[in-house]
Amino acid sequence: MADRSAPGLPAVAVPYGDAQPPWGGPAPAADLLRVGGLHQHYGGSHILRGVDFSLRAGEVTVVLGRNGVGKTTLLKCLMGVVPRSQGSIRLLGQELAQQPSHQRVRAGLGYVPQGREIFGRLSVRENLLMGLASRPAGTALPTELFTLFPVLQQMLERRGGDLSGGQQQQLAIARALAPGPKVLLLDEPTEGIQPNVIKDIGRVIRHLADRGDMAIVLVEQFYDFAAELADQYLVMERGEIVMRGEGRAMDSDGVRARLF
């Protein structure tokens, strides 16, 4: 299992500039997000089929499954990048299913897409400022971003496209964290990343969850990485959740065998 003390990161919440961190939220174990009866169609294909789950503050929920089962579509549907056919998406009781993506960000969803999708011609600073588009003009970049990802502070004026893959992934996560989400959605953050950066990203994910005021969804193909971080797991097949349980029970529940 992962070292949950997260070496190199503060054991308690660190300052967010001169103010309290905007992602201060409900007490641990409170449901932040409830998804009910979520369906999604693409043309004549039925991609998501009645997906139901809830996310609790202070926990990492890993979503696993073979390629093509709907994991990425699920995150895009939660963010409003693709429309859902029917179903409910409630963040702290607020229905988001009819809201456009930018309103969902404003409500408290943060999204790190597969492939990172940073702005290659913009500097690191400019990429991070793009993450603040949903917050009032003049909002300063939170200092905690540079505590979590020190390399970004060293490269603030470097173009995003000149960073390594691992550095770009850290930038993408930091950009999603900049506005202070209540729920962070991560789509395969280890894809194409060198092992030492994977460990750093894992420590950051665990640290953010352990703060107790954010829920994290991690879509991941790297089973061992997912198992180390999981507080709860969801296994998808053909657009449905076919297994779910506590992260510590993944091996005994036969999740690895189900996947491979």
Side-chain angles (χ1 to χ4, degrees), residues 113-153:
Q114 186 178 20
R116 301 178 281 277
E117 297 185 13
I118 65 162
F119 298 97
R121 292 183 177 272
L122 299 184
S123 70
V124 167
R125 184 193 303 275
E126 290 167 332
N127 269 276
L128 292 174
L129 288 172
M130 291 294 288
L132 293 175
S134 64
R135 295 185 60 76
T139 299
L141 288 173
T143 57
E144 183 173 15
L145 299 181
F146 305 115
T147 303
L148 298 174
F149 302 110
V151 69
L152 298 182
Q153 190 162 32

Side-chain angles (χ1 to χ4, degrees), residues 5-74:
S5 63
L9 293 177
V12 295
V14 298
Y16 187 95
D18 297 323
Q20 291 298 315
W23 53 68
D31 282 343
L32 284 179
L33 189 74
R34 290 180 178 270
V35 176
L38 193 63
H39 290 260
Q40 199 276 334
H41 290 78
Y42 183 77
S45 299
H46 196 172
I47 307 301
L48 298 179
R49 301 168 179 265
V51 174
D52 295 275
F53 64 90
S54 61
L55 305 178
R56 295 184 292 268
E59 293 190 354
V60 178
T61 298
V62 301
V63 182
L64 302 133
R66 298 183 179 90
N67 289 332
V69 300
K71 304 186 301 298
T72 291
T73 299
L74 172 60

